[in-house]
Amino acid sequence: MHLSDLQAFLSELSENNHRAWMAMNKPRYDILRNEFLELTGALINSLQRTDPAIANTNPAKALFRINRDVRFSKDKSPYKTIFSASIVPDGRKKPSEGGGPAYYFQFDAQGVLLFAVGEYLPPPHRLRQIRDQLISDGNGFLDAINQDPFRSNFPAILSEGRLVKVPRAYPAEHPMGEWLKYKSFIAVNEISYLGMSASEVKNQLLMAFESAKPLIYWLRTSHHIAVNAYPE
């Protein structure tokens, strides 16, 4: 993947976010999208060796469209200025569907590579499943997020929108009380991809995602994923 070309394209798109510019630069976009698709496919092929649940994931379904949904937005810019993908067992699902934990990554116009694992603002029924799992297997969750490789790649769990109090359905003094306040269970990190090669980016993402598999498996347990989705 030609990352310098990608950054240049996204930067120019940020300054010319309209359909006429995209039409003129469609050949550039098509080349970059195919390269991004290849990177996503290579990641899936590597990750599936220890996570067979994603073995049949179609890379094309993992990619998010560059077109923005502007129906309910004041910003009518027609295109996103990122390339992004979300790897989950059944292809990309909307958060509102509670599709379970994902391996997510994106490149932006400023040269930042963001990568994340887990579930961002899951819907109420899914959030209840995760919180119930915190009650029944809190130690498993803590073991997953406190391993050194995970901490090195993901310094913290995103606390956006965290509640002030433990939800009423759960004991206020429970040892996992602070975690029961969370609305998202997703770990995020950002690095600059400027000057990196495609193979370096792939290796960085693979290392980070491999370190997060204990958290992925723990979240899937709360989601009642089939037993054969886990490595022995």
Side-chain angles (χ1 to χ4, degrees), residues 45-155:
N45 287 337
S46 295
L47 289 169
Q48 70 180 1
R49 296 169 188 167
T50 50
D51 187 359
I54 64 167
N56 296 318
T57 298
N58 183 343
K61 289 187 177 181
L63 270 58
F64 286 93
R65 297 173 68 244
I66 198 168
N67 300 76
R68 294 181 63 247
D69 184 352
V70 300
R71 291 174 299 172
F72 309 106
S73 174
K74 293 182 179 180
D75 179 6
K76 299 302 181 181
S77 302
Y79 305 108
K80 303 171 188 174
T81 55
I82 60 172
F83 272 34
S84 56
S86 180
I87 301 172
V88 296
D90 298 320
R92 179 170 53 81
K93 291 186 176 181
K94 296 179 181 179
S96 61
E97 296 172 349
Y103 306 97
Y104 175 86
F105 62 104
Q106 70 175 43
F107 298 90
D108 75 11
Q110 288 71 46
V112 175
L113 168 62
L114 179 149
F115 46 97
V117 291
E119 300 185 50
Y120 178 71
L121 295 177
H125 75 278
R126 177 70 189 121
L127 187 55
R128 284 195 298 273
Q129 290 178 332
I130 297 173
R131 286 172 172 164
D132 288 348
Q133 182 78 348
L134 285 170
I135 295 292
S136 63
D137 186 27
N139 287 336
F141 174 76
L142 294 176
D143 287 345
I145 66 170
N146 286 324
Q147 295 183 21
D148 289 340
F150 179 82
R151 284 294 190 184
S152 296
N153 287 288
F154 299 100

Side-chain angles (χ1 to χ4, degrees), residues 212-232:
K213 283 183 176 176
L215 176 60
I216 293 286
Y217 299 148
W218 185 90
L219 287 167
R220 285 201 194 133
T221 299
S222 67
H223 197 45
H224 307 297
I225 299 295
V227 174
N228 61 14
Y230 300 92
E232 294 182 359

Side-chain angles (χ1 to χ4, degrees), residues 16 24 34 42 85 90 122 140 147 152 154 158 184-185 203 227:
N16 304 276
M24 292 178 61
N34 285 335
D90 298 320
Q147 295 183 21
S152 296
F154 299 100
L158 189 66
S184 288
F185 290 84
N203 290 338
V227 174

